Amino acid sequence: MRIRSLGVIDDAVVELSPGFTAVTGETGAGKTMVVTSLGLLLGGRADPALVRIGAKAAVVEGRIVMRPGAPAAVRAEEAGAELDDGALLISRTVSAEGRSRAHVGGRSVPVGLLGELADDLVAVHGQTDQQGLLRPARQRQALDRYAGDAVAVPLEKYGSAYRRLRSVAVELEEITTRARERAQEADLLRFGLDEIAAVEPVAGEDTELAAEAERLGHAESLASAAQLAHGALAGNPEDPEAIDANMLVAGAHRALESVRSHDPALGALAERIGELGILLSDVAGELAGYADDLDADPLRLAAVEERRAALTQLTRKYGSDGTVDSVLEWAEQGAARLLELDGDDERITELTVERDGLRSELSLLAQALTDARVEAATRFASAVTEELASLAMPHARVTIDVRQAEDEDGVEVGGRPVAYGPSGADEVELLLAPHPGAQPRPIAKGASGGELSRVMLAVEVVFAGSDPVPTYLFDEVDAGVGGKAAVEVGRRLAKLAKSAQVVVVTHLPQVAAFADRQLLVEKTNDGSVTRSGVTVLEGEARIRELSRMLAGHEDSVSARAHAEELLAAARADA
């Protein structure tokens, strides 16, 4: 991992060991920046205050080696990233203005993708994570994670039934609490449907009636125009001497017929004039029929206008676009809605039966979930207790209390109201009895700071066997631990590092001595600029750092002897 312009770190390369890496240094040297850098690579919040003064941006780049087909590799490739010889290159840039950018495998990606990858890459634990472990909800999640499919399978079935019960309950409550509003809606729908049924509109009727009303309103002028046009085409029977269009066309046809044999062109024109005469006769006949059939009855006109007025009243009330067709559409939808509203009583009965059935089903599923958690809790507590014995707490005993929560507003089961939630009805609490004769108490009340650190480490070691991730990061979780307990913490971290990569930020030489690689974060000051760098410690340099951690003086003879003894003991233990 390369860090540039982040906090007190100007430019540093952090080489993490495949096994156990310890990060040490004086308080304020910048060890936290190493953790922060890894957090940025894993999608952590980008704080512009982290950018080194005078720099435009802070940049963290990391190279993560992963096995082929690993979930994180698959997700990265889905996002368009490319692996470099089995390694994923990730970079995160945070500008001094607060903008943040992320790149994975050479492809620009949303920062949220880093968080998705982090779930399968690194488990981060620090002082804030200890506080998280104190929350009952977090403890239940931890137990479920440990139990695996034994809890996951019934939890999925329970979740499905729980969501359906919630949906049924919401619908039932809506129907019953809104009964008055729904009844009023039903009355309005009935009134509207009755009003439409009384008029009995027909699709497209308003358009046809409008055309008929226009025709009847101008019947006299239409008849006069048709008669005049007919006379112009076919002549006036009362004036035999009048010349009409038919006579003129017939004369033209006769003129050409007499000479058509002399020129085919005139013959063709004669035929066209003959066709024109036929067309004129047809039009004249239709004009005569139109005038005869035209109905000028004022009673019919009054009936049409009355019908149109009735339709207009409907379209104003129920037509979305002022047409009869939209009125009929409203009626169709209203009838369907009325059928739904009228079926409320029947629907209430159906929902009540379904709700009661789901409650019974949920009770059985919740009990199965509780049974699975109780069984897993026994194994989990035993495993954590065994780990604590290896962490200098040989007499400590961990138990997990799994009980179904009661709530006066909950569902009655077996004569008591049970509070069902999205994850079941169980409350899970981690209890610790630190020594024989002590009553088990919640770890928030029964554990000191050092004991809490070791409990959390023990929990993580147990997790490592059931839900492994490639890398574990512990940020000063050994706070409050010292002496023999510190040695045991180091030994346990070394054991965990045999199956995963472990990175620990620590102040304890007993822990650092067990590391496969020790990194020193060191601050330098040239009088005007303060910088921190990261150095891999080997040989004499590592002994000097362990001596400093032991006695505060790198050159103390007794501290050097103790440091060499710590290293030798750790190597012998490995």
Side-chain angles (χ1 to χ4, degrees), residues 262-297:
H262 303 303
D263 188 351
L266 282 181
L269 292 174
E271 290 181 4
R272 292 172 62 186
I273 291 175
E275 294 172 357
L276 182 59
I278 295 172
L279 180 60
L280 286 174
S281 297
D282 289 343
V283 173
E286 290 182 14
L287 286 170
Y290 176 83
D292 292 340
D293 294 339
L294 189 61
D295 186 1
D297 185 0

Side-chain angles (χ1 to χ4, degrees), residues 278-439:
I278 295 172
L279 180 60
L280 286 174
S281 297
D282 289 343
V283 173
E286 290 182 14
L287 286 170
Y290 176 83
D292 292 340
D293 294 339
L294 189 61
D295 186 1
D297 185 0
L299 294 178
R300 174 56 186 167
L301 178 59
V304 169
E305 293 295 352
E306 183 180 356
R307 179 65 175 173
R308 291 185 68 200
L311 294 176
T312 300
Q313 188 176 11
L314 291 182
T315 57
R316 285 176 179 171
K317 288 185 177 182
Y318 311 107
S320 58
D321 58 1
T323 65
V324 167
D325 289 351
S326 61
V327 172
L328 294 173
E329 183 179 355
W330 182 93
E332 182 179 358
Q333 295 174 352
R337 176 60 175 164
L338 183 59
L339 186 62
E340 177 184 337
L341 294 172
D342 285 342
D344 274 359
D345 291 341
E346 182 179 348
R347 183 59 177 159
I348 288 175
T349 301
E350 292 176 357
L351 290 174
T352 301
V353 171
E354 184 177 6
R355 182 199 61 190
D356 293 344
L358 284 169
R359 283 178 172 176
S360 298
E361 180 183 359
L362 203 67
S363 173
L364 295 175
L365 291 172
Q367 188 59 51
L369 194 55
T370 299
D371 293 343
R373 282 177 173 148
V374 168
E375 190 278 331
T378 302
R379 292 186 291 109
F380 185 53
S382 176
V384 173
T385 298
E386 184 178 344
E387 289 298 326
L388 287 177
S390 301
L391 292 172
M393 294 178 67
H395 304 298
R397 182 168 54 90
V398 169
T399 57
I400 299 179
D401 183 21
V402 180
R403 59 187 179 277
Q404 290 191 337
E406 294 188 16
D407 186 344
E408 60 182 13
D409 297 324
V411 180
E412 284 285 342
V413 177
R416 61 189 182 92
V418 176
Y420 290 118
S423 300
D426 299 321
E427 290 181 343
V428 175
E429 193 166 34
L430 193 63
L431 306 177
L432 173 68
H435 52 80
Q439 288 296 319

